């Protein structure tokens, strides 16, 4: 999802702290924990992110979490990896999974035109739902603009607390300039996918995600907020900065925790925790939600625009594939919301998973690179000292290790 541009500001930062319960210590596990702690510390101390947290889960070191900085600048409450946050576009993977489940059931054709399910919805400015397939929606190759780009150009207070209907936002997108590249990241694609789910099931996409994913996996901290502007239960605050003053004075940091995220809908509205995100992606990768053939469809990727994601990234059906510096790929998704939360969940070689949470979006290219570096660190640090998962991978069948 598009986000309001943010500037890095200095902020107090607490030292990263270890997990609630650690398994028996080993050189590889200790190295991984220390390296992830240092990576989070880079975000809070060097780049001024108020709080950063990570949860890592693998078969050798078990599940552990680390947090640094503060969850609330007003009270100084420490960041906690078990806190809820808005996960933004990580929501797309949940929605895409339901669409592919329905495809596996024969109720949606991935290569069927949008027109089959939503006649007349996509018309105008050269767009035609008869020539756009469901697969292209999920893959961001539909050629549709992103309604979010129109919103963030408007003053925040005009839309921060507003309710938006999906069809209203789709109409806004169709009025925007046409993308100039074949692959164009657009949350509008997922609003349309959500309407297709509603059309074929008779229930909203939120209800289907809850029924098919959240309840079966026991993801009790994940929910769709609807028009609620507050986050339920323990959560980190989130922060953003507005435009600089006319004289160049930087905008002060603004609390963006309360927000109506109906503008994100099926493509960006979910609230969750790192633990639930990791559990979901692990279940998806492990075959709990889709038969192997259909998980393979989600992992059929095309090159992504590095200006809209990052160099080397590829995009499947609601899944990003990104190369690891230690070999192999991670599969998952990142998410951003205008109020300041930044999330990322990934599964890598051997089924190891990592989920990250920030309460301010990185404001520079270097800060974003250091955020992504936490993922590489979580997957690769232990391998540098002989983590058992780093040896003899030739006979593994986990599809997360395949080249997209």
């Amino acid at each position: 999802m598009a986000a309001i541009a943010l500037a890095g500001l200095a902020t107090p930062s607490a030292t990263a702290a270890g997990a609630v319960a650690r398994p028996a210590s080993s050189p590889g596990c200790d190295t991984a924990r220390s390296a992830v702690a240092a990576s989070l510390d880079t975000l809070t101390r060097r780049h001024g992110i108020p709080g950063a947290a990570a949860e890592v889960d693998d078969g050798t070191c078990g599940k552990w979490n680390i947090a640094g900085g503060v969850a609330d600048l007003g009270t100084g409450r420490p960041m906690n990896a078990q806190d809820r946050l808005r996960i933004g576009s990580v929501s797309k993977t949940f929605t895409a999974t339901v669409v592919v489940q329905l495809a596996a059931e024969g109720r949606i054709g991935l290569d069927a035109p949008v027109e089959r399910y939503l006649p007349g919805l996509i018309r105008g400015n050269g767009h035609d739902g008869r020539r756009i397939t469901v697969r292209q929606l999920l893959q961001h190759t539909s050629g549709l603009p992103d309604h979010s780009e129109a919103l963030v150009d408007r003053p925040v207070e005009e839309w921060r607390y507003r309710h938006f209907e999906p069809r209203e936002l789709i109409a806004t997108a169709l009025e925007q300039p046409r993308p100039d590249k074949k692959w164009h990241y657009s949350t509008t694609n997922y609003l349309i996918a959500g309407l297709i789910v509603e059309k074929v099931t008779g229930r909203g996409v939120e209800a289907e995600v809850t029924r098919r994913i959240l309840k079966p996996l026991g993801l009790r901290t994940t929910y769709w907020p609807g028009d609620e502007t507050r986050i339920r239960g323990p959560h980190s605050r989130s922060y953003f900065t507005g435009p600089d003053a006319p004289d160049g004075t930087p905008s002060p940091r603004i609390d963006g925790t309360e927000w109506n995220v109906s503008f994100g809908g099926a493509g960006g509205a979910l609230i969750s925790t790192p633990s639930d995100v990791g559990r979901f992606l692990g279940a998806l990768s492990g075959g709990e939600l889709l038969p192997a053939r259909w998980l393979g469809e989600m992992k059929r990727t095309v090159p992504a625009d590095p200006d809209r994601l990052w160099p080397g990234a590829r995009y499947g059906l609601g899944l990003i594939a990104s190369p690891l510096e230690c070999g192999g790929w991670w599969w998952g998704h990142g998410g951003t919301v205008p109020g300041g939360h930044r999330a990322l969940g990934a599964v890598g070689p051997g089924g190891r998973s990592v989920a990250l949470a920030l309460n301010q979006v990185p404001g520079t290219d270097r800060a974003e690179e250091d955020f992504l570096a936490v993922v590489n660190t979580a997957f690769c640090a232990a391998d540098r000292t002989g983590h058992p998962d780093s040896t003899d991978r030739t006979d593994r069948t986990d599809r997360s290790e395949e080249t997209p």
Side-chain angles (χ1 to χ4, degrees), residues 117-139:
Y117 308 102
L118 302 169
L121 178 66
I122 309 302
R123 288 285 194 280
N125 200 17
H127 302 292
D128 188 341
R130 294 168 294 188
R131 299 188 179 93
I132 297 172
T133 67
V134 175
R135 185 187 303 275
Q136 289 172 331
L137 294 177
L138 300 183
Q139 202 176 55

Side-chain angles (χ1 to χ4, degrees), residues 103-323:
E105 295 166 11
R107 302 171 71 182
I108 289 177
L110 292 179
D111 295 307
V114 172
E115 186 77 5
R116 177 181 299 178
Y117 308 102
L118 302 169
L121 178 66
I122 309 302
R123 288 285 194 280
N125 200 17
H127 302 292
D128 188 341
R130 294 168 294 188
R131 299 188 179 93
I132 297 172
T133 67
V134 175
R135 185 187 303 275
Q136 289 172 331
L137 294 177
L138 300 183
Q139 202 176 55
H140 296 301
T141 54
S142 68
L144 293 172
D146 190 343
H147 67 272
S148 300
E149 295 175 4
L151 291 180
V152 298
D153 286 337
R154 293 161 53 184
V156 169
E157 296 305 317
E158 284 187 9
W159 58 279
R160 177 174 174 176
Y161 299 105
R162 258 204 63 188
H163 169 81
F164 290 93
E165 288 290 332
R167 290 175 182 269
E168 172 189 4
L169 295 169
I170 293 164
T172 295
L174 295 179
E175 296 171 355
Q176 303 309 304
R178 292 177 60 86
D180 58 4
K181 295 184 179 179
K182 182 177 180 180
W183 190 88
H184 183 80
Y185 190 91
S186 172
T187 296
T188 305
N189 287 320
Y190 278 75
L191 299 186
I192 299 167
L195 291 179
I196 292 173
V197 170
E198 182 175 0
K199 180 71 173 183
V200 302
T201 66
R203 291 178 290 270
V205 64
E206 297 87 353
E208 285 296 290
V209 167
T210 300
R211 184 175 74 88
R212 291 169 172 266
I213 299 175
L214 305 188
K215 288 185 176 179
L217 295 182
L219 305 184
R220 295 180 180 85
T221 61
T222 305
Y223 71 97
W224 297 97
D227 284 330
E228 282 186 66
T229 60
R230 296 184 178 182
I231 300 176
R232 304 173 199 164
H235 61 274
S236 60
R237 308 297 297 178
S238 62
Y239 303 94
F240 70 100
T241 56
D244 292 346
D247 64 359
T249 302
S251 165
R253 187 183 275 117
I254 301 167
D255 189 314
T257 314
E258 295 183 7
W259 210 292
N260 185 322
V261 289
S262 59
F263 71 90
L270 274 173
I271 290 170
S272 189
T273 58
S275 182
D276 270 11
V277 169
R279 167 72 178 118
F280 162 62
L281 290 171
L284 178 61
S285 178
E288 294 182 50
L289 296 173
L290 286 169
R293 173 200 163 187
W294 294 96
L295 179 58
E297 291 288 342
M298 291 189 76
K299 290 186 170 184
R300 288 175 58 187
T301 63
V302 296
D305 180 357
D307 292 332
R308 300 186 76 85
L309 283 182
W310 50 83
R314 299 180 63 87
Y315 205 93
L317 306 185
L319 279 176
I320 297 170
S322 190

